[in-house]
Structure formats: structure tokens, C-alpha cells
Amino acid sequence: MNQRLHSLAATFIGLVLTTTSAPSQPANTIPHLRNQGAATQLIVDGKPFLALAAELNNSSASSLDYMKPLWPRLVATHINTVLATVSWELIEPREGRFDFALVDGLLKEARANHLHLVLLWFGSWKNGKSTYQPLWVKTDQMRFPLIQNEQGRSLPTLTPLSDSNRDADARAFAALMRHLHEADGSRHTVVMMQVENEVGVLDTPRDFSPAANEAFNGPAPKELMDYLQAHKDQLIPQLHEAWEKNGFKTSGTWEEIFGKSSVNTNDWKAFSYLTEEIFMAWNYARYVGRVAAAGKAEYNIPMYVNTWLKQSGFGWPGAYPGGGPQPQVMDIWRAGGAAIDILSPDIYAPNFTEWCDWYTQSGNPLFIPESRGDARGAADGLWAFGKHDAIGFSPFGIDRSAGPDTALARVYDVISQAAPLILEHQGKGTMTAILLDSATASQTVRLGNYNLEGRFSSRNFGGATNEPPDRVAALFISTGPDDYVIIGRSMNVYFTAATDPSDSVGLAAVEEGVYAGGKWIAGRRLNGDETPEWKALRFRGDNYSVQRVRLYRYH
Ligand code: DGJ
């Protein structure tokens, strides 16, 4: 907190911050999801929790010694949740013999540093391939069969069409969750689980193993068709369209129901091989859903799956992991994997907002387990919290980039201060956000009684590098009919009346400040040159900061 700021709160009559939080539950309830208005919140120790997270590199959590110097750097980055790998090969090196020493070490260190964990179950699959299964699985391909391509060649990937693959994975995951129940059921260090990592088939549009061919040429499962019929009006448009094109058949082979695929590698948004993708999605969802359910039977905390997104230029499933929970097959995942709470995008692509829109379709809560952690990532994260009530945001590869003097640390510092207020406003229509970059240098949104316009201002950055950031965000909260709390950087924010456009809008009072323990501590009262044209808020400098404003109208 900036010690130079002193409280002017007493002189700021009427600008009272209400931080009444949602009804809380006993602190001993295990982590779970709960709805607040249109939002889904992660409840930890009985209270809503905002995961200001970051993901370690894949191998980091395999060594407690390697992790030792990292913990304080994570804390200095204002991270409150660390995403760390737990791999099948390390917890079950011999079949049925489990070793949780590493998991216990992570729990101990996280607790000592007042951090939460999301554990990533690297079981059957990691980025489409199978490299984290124990040697006794890898070397017994009769018992644990692999995916085959169209030429009948095995790929280094366990097939999801095998009960014995699934059951072995589910047994190990259940053992992990049983252990977490015992070791963490009353402490709640672990707040969520990721089941597998970026699943899907690479290098071939579908599995062509004998079991897969038989299933693909046989009838689509009744359970899936019942689900699609029951949810016909809420299906994701691409799936609805494919089904409609073939006459909404309710039984038949996959190709009879969804059509024979055609290849269109020129247009990445054309979903060629969609039928193969739907088929693989069903089989992955069934498998991962069963693994998740086995874990939940032991310890029922929220679970999500993450997605290697279909990128521009990767036209067909197989070029990206086909059958993962891409937007076009989200309904298939819902039908097949009921125990999975959240379908999550790993967003590195520049069109961050589009991916968030697609992953909030039909009520899917937004948790972003992988993203960028630079200035652009900082802006994206703030936007996701403000615009989509995100449960959490987590840049990948924090080992290299953790530290107090980073864009991520600066934005997480401010978000963590304002977290009680952000959580209070989730799902109520009283919070939103904008994202500005070179393509969109200004944006206007309506919130409450006013339109708020953010204009990127290159005069308003002023850091050591003097390089304007390529993307900045602002988060707006309406705290009363004429009152706003705004987090932003490098922009001016203008106001117009939304209810009666003939009214002119003036600034009744503006102050900067910080939150401490959920309470506003006012700093400077802003006026004159600090309020451009005497009608806008100016967010200056390299850091995100908070201002509160009360507006008035004149004719
Ligand atoms: C996505 C994967 O899910 C991560 O585990 C990691 O490999 C990153 N890609 C690397 O960029």
C-alpha cells in the first residue's frame, strides 16, 4: 500500500463504500461452486474467492528443492493461487503403490506461504499426447492400447476408447483425491482440480484403432442423443447447425446424424471434420468425466478441463487436439462428462475477448488456467474479472517471470485489494470492463445511469521504458446511482448521461486511494489538471490504480 496516501474519506461526504458481502457459509465447508445472480463463484472457507493465479512450468512441482526459492517470488507477485502439476508416473510408480510425499510437500509449502493450490492431474494425457503415465502403463500396450492413425500406425497416445486405460487412470486419480480429502479436507489449500491437460487427438482427425472404427461406424449412443434432444434449443450454434443440416436425426451412425465431413484447410473457422471431432469429444468426455467422477466420489471439490484452442491456420482436428472441449463441441462434453464443472480455455491468442465470449456460452463459468503474464496479460486478466465475472486468471510459466516489479504483480496487487468489492458485484449487472489497444483506442459502455468512455492516452503512461503498453484495461463498478469505482491505467475516462442525454455531466468529487482489509483509504482529492477538461478521470503511469468518483448533472 502507498504510505503517502492519507485519508480524506471524512471530507468525501456521501461516497460511502458498501462492502456487505454475500451470505457466508461455515468456514469448514469444502471448496465448491455457488451462483450469485448470473455469476458462478468459487467458495473457499465459506466465502467467495477470486483466484489471482499463475501456473508453474510443467516440471517445477516435481522437486520441492526446485520450488523452494520460488515460493517467496510467487508471494511477491501478489498471486494467491498456484497451479501445480501432479503426475501419474510420480504418484503411482508401481501399480497400486502410491507415494504422496511430493503432494504433501506442496501442501506444506503452499500453506506456509499463505497460498492456495489448483492441482493439475497429468494422467493419461498432456497436450494431446501420453507422456505422464507410469512405465508399467507405457510399456504394456496390450493392456493399455494406443490411438492409431488411418494407416494403422500407433501414436504415442492412449486411446480414450479403452475401459482399461480409463479405469487405471480413474483409480490413480481417486487415490489422489482420497489422500487430499485426508490431508486437506479441513484446510482447503487445494481449491480446484484440473483433470488431464489439453486432451484431444493430434496428427489424425480421429482414432482409427479397431475399437474406434467399430464405434464410429456403429450407432451414436442413445445417451448422447437424449441429451441433445433435451437441450435442442440451447445448443452451441455450430453443433445445432450440423445436426439440423442432417434433419435432426435422433438415431443412426455418427455420419448419418452429423454428416460426412469435408476438408477446408483454407478457412480456420470452417469446422471441417466436425463429425470426427464430435465423436472424439464424446469419447474423451466420457473418459475424463469418469475419471473426475471417481475423484469426486472421494473428495468433491470443483473440477475443470482445459483446452488447447483451435488457432488461426490450424484448420482441422488433429492439427490441434481434436475432441478437446472446443466451443463447437462444448455440448458434447456436457453430455458425456457431467462431473466436470468448468470447460476452460488456455488463451494465448490476441483475440482474447472472443475466446472469453465463446467460453461463457450457456452458463459456462470462466476460469482461464493458462494465458500471458505480461502487460497484455495483465490487461486481459483485469478485463476477464470485470466483464465476465471470471473465477480466476492464471498466466503460464510463472517460474521465469515471477517478481514484484512486473505487470502481473502490479495488476494483481490492485485486484486483490478490491477483491471483496469485485466479488460483491459479480453477477449483478453492476460491474463491467473495457479493453483498449491499437485497434480499439476508445470504447464506451453503459453501466447504471451513465455511459463510460475509456480513451487510451499515450500521455498517460510514464514508466521507465516509456513504451506505451500494447493493451490496457479498465474495470468499472457502479456503487450507487451517481457513484463509480474504477480500476485503470494509461487512459482517460469520460462520462455522459445514459438516462437523459440532454443532461451534462460534471465531476462532483474524485479521489484516488487504496483498499486495505476491504476498506477504502483515500489519498489525493483529484481536480484541476488531474481531471482532464474538468470532466474526465485520468489514469496515469505504468501501474493500475483505483479512483472513486461521484458525478452530478447540470443543464
Ligand atoms: C500448453 C500446455 O497446457 C502447458 O502445459 C504448456 O506446455 C504450455 N502449453 C507451453 O506453452
Side-chain angles (χ1 to χ4, degrees):
M1 188 203 307
N2 187 340
Q3 296 303 328
R4 286 180 303 116
L5 298 175
H6 60 282
S7 174
L8 284 173
T11 61
F12 210 141
I13 298 163
L15 234 175
V16 178
L17 171 69
T18 49
T19 49
T20 45
S21 46
S24 59
Q25 290 174 335
N28 61 0
T29 53
I30 63 172
H32 61 280
L33 300 176
R34 187 178 71 191
N35 292 336
Q36 173 173 288
T40 303
Q41 298 187 308
L42 173 62
I43 308 298
V44 178
D45 294 328
K47 293 193 299 271
F49 180 75
L50 214 51
L52 305 179
E55 182 168 331
L56 299 168
N57 284 109
N58 301 151
S59 310
S60 313
S62 68
S63 161
L64 297 175
D65 282 345
Y66 173 91
M67 286 297 300
K68 217 161 200 56
L70 202 48
W71 295 107
R73 288 176 51 221
L74 297 170
V75 172
T77 315
H78 297 279
I79 287 162
N80 63 17
T81 306
V82 180
L83 274 62
T85 301
V86 172
S87 71
W88 188 4
E89 62 177 343
L90 293 181
I91 68 157
E92 196 184 7
R94 288 165 60 199
E95 188 168 6
R97 302 281 185 84
F98 291 96
D99 180 350
F100 294 113
L102 214 43
V103 174
D104 291 339
L106 291 175
L107 289 175
K108 185 166 167 246
E109 290 294 332
R111 286 171 190 160
N113 288 283
H114 307 287
L115 289 165
H116 286 284
L117 293 171
V118 169
L119 296 180
L120 317 178
W121 173 238
F122 282 25
S124 295
W125 300 290
K126 183 320 186 179
N127 296 35
K129 307 277 182 193
S130 300
T131 57
Y132 281 86
Q133 74 276 45
L135 209 55
W136 55 267
V137 176
K138 274 184 187 147
T139 52
D140 189 350
Q141 292 139 32
M142 286 300 283
R143 185 173 161 207
F144 303 110
L146 302 175
I147 282 181
Q148 291 178 14
N149 67 14
E150 207 166 356
Q151 289 72 41
R153 253 199 101 68
S154 291
L155 303 178
T157 307
L158 292 165
T159 173
L161 285 107
S162 156
D163 291 355
S164 87
N165 290 352
R166 182 199 62 205
D167 293 345
D169 186 329
R171 269 195 301 275
F173 187 63
L176 170 61
M177 296 311 293
R178 193 176 318 129
H179 181 76
L180 286 179
H181 187 201
E182 282 158 19
D184 197 45
S186 59
R187 298 289 297 270
H188 316 147
T189 306
V190 179
V191 293
M192 265 203 301
M193 297 298 293
Q194 178 184 297
V195 193
E196 314 292 346
N197 188 78
E198 293 190 345
V199 305
V201 56
L202 280 168
D203 305 323
T204 170
R206 71 165 172 90
D207 185 0
F208 287 88
S209 64
N213 285 342
E214 196 187 324
F216 188 72
N217 295 319
K222 183 174 175 324
E223 200 183 330
L224 170 61
M225 298 321 299
D226 287 349
Y227 181 95
L228 295 185
Q229 283 177 77
H231 297 84
K232 195 169 176 179
D233 296 335
Q234 299 112 51
L235 296 179
I236 302 287
Q238 294 94 328
L239 182 72
H240 191 270
E241 208 179 282
W243 191 24
E244 186 176 28
K245 244 197 227 157
N246 292 286
F248 288 126
K249 291 196 186 73
T250 54
S251 64
T253 66
W254 296 84
E255 287 187 327
E256 282 163 359
I257 295 169
F258 300 109
K260 208 166 164 51
S261 300
S262 63
V263 188
N264 182 356
T265 44
N266 292 327
D267 178 1
W268 74 277
K269 283 188 176 169
F271 299 111
S272 48
Y273 285 122
L274 183 58
T275 300
E276 284 79 354
E277 188 164 27
I278 292 169
F279 170 73
M280 292 308 294
W282 170 257
N283 285 293
Y284 278 111
R286 293 283 289 173
Y287 186 122
V288 181
R290 286 284 279 276
V291 172
K296 283 190 163 185
E298 299 293 342
Y299 186 37
N300 188 4
I301 62 173
M303 298 194 184
Y304 71 92
V305 290
N306 65 331
T307 320
W308 171 340
L309 302 177
K310 175 177 179 170
Q311 304 290 325
S312 165
F314 290 74
W316 51 282
Y320 59 88
Q326 302 286 335
Q328 63 271 23
V329 291
M330 275 165 75
D331 295 306
I332 308 292
W333 271 81
R334 290 225 176 77
I340 298 158
D341 301 293
I342 303 174
L343 306 175
S344 284
D346 292 343
I347 318 178
Y348 297 92
N351 56 335
F352 183 87
T353 60
E354 276 186 291
W355 286 113
C356 290
D357 289 345
W358 289 326
Y359 275 87
T360 46
Q361 292 180 96
S362 40
N364 187 47
L366 188 61
F367 177 75
I368 303 167
E370 292 184 38
S371 200
R372 298 164 56 129
D374 54 4
R376 181 188 287 204
D380 289 343
L382 180 66
W383 182 85
F385 285 119
K387 174 76 181 177
H388 283 297
D389 300 321
I391 282 176
F393 177 77
S394 167
F396 177 80
I398 195 66
D399 311 34
R400 290 186 299 263
S401 52
D405 193 23
T406 57
L408 187 68
R410 293 196 287 263
V411 77
Y412 273 7
D413 183 13
V414 176
I415 300 174
S416 62
Q417 290 174 35
L421 187 67
I422 292 172
L423 287 161
E424 183 197 334
H425 284 269
Q426 283 187 334
K428 295 180 177 168
T430 50
M431 178 168 69
T432 190
I434 57 168
L435 206 50
L436 304 181
D437 56 24
S438 53
T440 316
S442 85
Q443 207 190 327
T444 305
V445 286
R446 179 176 175 173
L447 185 66
N449 296 328
Y450 294 87
N451 301 311
L452 290 74
E453 182 193 1
R455 289 187 207 159
F456 175 73
S457 168
S458 56
R459 292 184 57 207
N460 287 352
F461 68 89
T465 62
N466 228 23
E467 284 287 330
D470 66 348
R471 188 174 282 182
V472 296
L475 179 148
F476 305 132
I477 301 176
S478 158
T479 53
D482 301 300
D483 298 329
Y484 294 89
V485 171
I486 301 178
I487 301 174
R489 70 162 284 193
S490 308
M491 70 171 74
N492 295 337
V493 178
Y494 294 81
F495 303 88
T496 53
T499 42
D500 185 348
S502 64
D503 282 352
S504 295
V505 176
L507 304 176
V510 184
E511 59 185 20
E512 66 181 4
V514 294
Y515 287 101
K519 283 209 169 62
W520 176 247
I521 309 212
R524 289 182 302 169
R525 178 74 168 251
L526 300 176
N527 207 332
D529 293 345
E530 282 66 55
T531 53
E533 304 160 56
W534 299 279
K535 63 178 185 186
L537 307 190
R538 165 171 282 161
F539 288 89
R540 201 175 198 134
D542 270 359
N543 296 350
Y544 283 91
S545 60
V546 193
Q547 293 185 26
R548 299 199 315 180
V549 58
R550 168 161 283 189
L551 304 169
Y552 75 99
R553 296 174 185 225
Y554 59 96
H555 301 277

